[in-house]
Amino acid sequence: MASAVEVEQTSPRRTTAARRLYSSGKCAVCRHPERWRVELLKAGGASLDALASKFGVSRDSIDRHWHRHVT
């Protein structure tokens, strides 16, 4: 089994901004500069796939955000 260091070294390198974005413990949608638009469109019935494509966030992140952070 590969160690964490070996796995990290063989994975594609992320830009500094991408590492900063994913390294914080906060939800990807909560950090997104257009969070309000994601939430508004989701509330209006937009599909997860359409939102993921439009805003560059995974559909799973949007779904998790919707269920955990939106009341």
Side-chain angles (χ1 to χ4, degrees):
M1 179 180 279
S3 70
V5 173
E6 291 171 335
V7 171
E8 185 175 328
Q9 289 175 349
T10 59
S11 64
R13 296 182 80 99
R14 291 184 176 159
T15 64
T16 303
R19 269 187 301 222
R20 194 173 342 110
L21 183 68
Y22 293 112
S23 65
S24 75
K26 204 169 181 188
C27 166
V29 177
C30 287
R31 289 189 313 262
H32 198 282
E34 295 191 272
R35 170 187 176 174
W36 66 274
R37 286 185 66 205
V38 173
E39 292 175 355
L40 186 66
L41 291 169
K42 174 72 173 112
S47 73
L48 293 174
D49 290 325
L51 293 172
S53 175
K54 182 173 186 72
F55 294 102
V57 179
S58 78
R59 67 183 315 278
D60 292 334
S61 291
I62 295 169
D63 190 51
R64 277 192 305 272
H65 171 76
W66 188 255
H67 287 96
R68 294 179 183 174
H69 302 165
V70 179
T71 57

